[in-house]
Amino acid sequence: MGRSRRTLPEELLLLALDPATGTTAQPQSLDLGLAGAQLVELALAGRIAPDGDRIAVVMPRPTGDPTLDSALELLRRRGSPVRAVHWIGGPRLGLRQTYLSHLERCGMVHAVEGQMCGVLPTTRYQATETAISREIRARLDSAIRTGVPPDPRTAALAALAHAVGLGKHLYPGNEGRSSRSRLRDLIRHDPMGGLVAHAVMDVQNGVAAQPRRGPGGRPAGAVPAQPRQHGSGSMARAVAH
């Protein structure tokens, strides 16, 4: 896949990055959201598709993005569709740091070294391409304000932002309550985004043992299996949250 378009994990991370502090909002749930965003991006690229509440590989050809291709290969090796909640809840050591480092190499963020309590090394990240972050935010704001169904990519981004709890970061306080509610409602506009967002929330709530059931006994968020079309914690150095 070309690099002219930012991937959903990159966009979700930029949304979560606080420009004032250089830290990421909702760091623990954000890790789950990034794993989920990879699934949606792979679906948008036509590599995977939902199969009930599971994820099936429908085209194993690499996308050209090393991080996405690593996830695609892991899914392929499973040999059979995997439940989204199990995939997202699996170990994803360093995924957030991987994307932060990637954004730094691309010149979209700048790492600022520091210390916590004068001893523990920390790294904060400041966005350098603020116009990109504003454009991402504007897409969400437009979908919330106009009520017009967004494109699948924006709908999935909104669903993931809600699932990881970014609503209170993006639209804080009582004045942001209606925007947070509309952000949550955007989850219905993309089946894959909805499936993944529900899986992210289920992992956070510890609901992973049994499939969530919707009307008629179908797993919640389930859609018929079919290929998607192109559509569109410590580390070596601590990352301040």
Side-chain angles (χ1 to χ4, degrees):
M1 76 194 307
R3 294 300 302 148
S4 60
R5 169 175 287 174
R6 295 175 302 276
T7 65
L8 274 173
E10 294 164 5
E11 292 194 329
L12 183 64
L13 188 52
L14 287 171
L15 268 183
L17 192 62
D18 190 318
T21 65
T23 62
T24 53
Q26 303 299 108
Q28 293 181 332
S29 56
L30 182 60
D31 291 339
L32 302 175
L34 290 173
Q38 287 186 315
L39 293 181
V40 179
E41 189 65 49
L42 287 170
L44 288 170
R47 268 46 174 196
I48 65 175
D51 181 1
D53 68 341
R54 297 174 182 267
I55 303 298
V57 174
V58 295
M59 184 189 299
R61 188 180 71 217
T63 66
D65 181 297
T67 309
L68 290 175
D69 289 340
S70 176
L72 179 61
E73 177 62 14
L74 288 174
L75 286 166
R76 187 193 66 79
R77 289 178 183 175
R78 294 291 184 95
S80 60
V82 58
R83 286 186 64 201
V85 70
H86 287 162
W87 173 261
I88 291 169
R92 296 289 181 273
L93 294 177
L95 187 58
R96 182 160 34 104
Q97 184 59 50
T98 295
Y99 276 107
L100 282 169
S101 298
H102 169 72
L103 291 176
E104 183 182 13
R105 289 192 300 272
C106 293
M108 297 175 67
V109 301
H110 171 66
V112 180
E113 306 294 339
Q115 289 184 330
M116 182 183 298
C117 301
V119 178
L120 183 64
T122 63
T123 305
R124 297 174 183 270
Y125 292 87
Q126 299 290 342
T128 53
E129 295 288 344
T130 55
I132 293 176
S133 297
R134 289 196 300 269
E135 182 271 329
I136 296 169
R137 174 66 182 271
R139 281 164 42 210
L140 285 189
D141 290 345
S142 177
I144 287 173
R145 183 180 63 256
T146 64
V148 176
D151 61 275
R153 181 174 294 274
T154 301
L157 182 62
L160 287 163
H162 167 70
V164 303
L166 287 184
K168 59 185 178 183
H169 166 70
L170 299 170
Y171 308 103
N174 288 332
E175 64 275 16
R177 183 177 301 172
S178 61
S179 292
R180 293 195 299 271
S181 177
R182 288 193 288 272
L183 179 70
R184 179 196 63 218
D185 291 343
L186 290 175
I187 200 170
R188 71 182 187 275
H189 288 293
D190 181 62
M192 185 66 178
L195 169 65
V196 169
H198 281 300
V200 169
M201 291 184 285
D202 280 350
V203 172
Q204 293 179 80
N205 295 327
V207 182
Q210 297 295 329
R212 298 182 335 108
R213 297 289 170 180
R218 179 185 293 275
V223 296
Q226 56 184 354
R228 298 272 300 197
Q229 300 297 317
H230 279 284
S232 343
S234 62
M235 291 179 271
R237 54 177 190 172
V239 180
H241 303 320

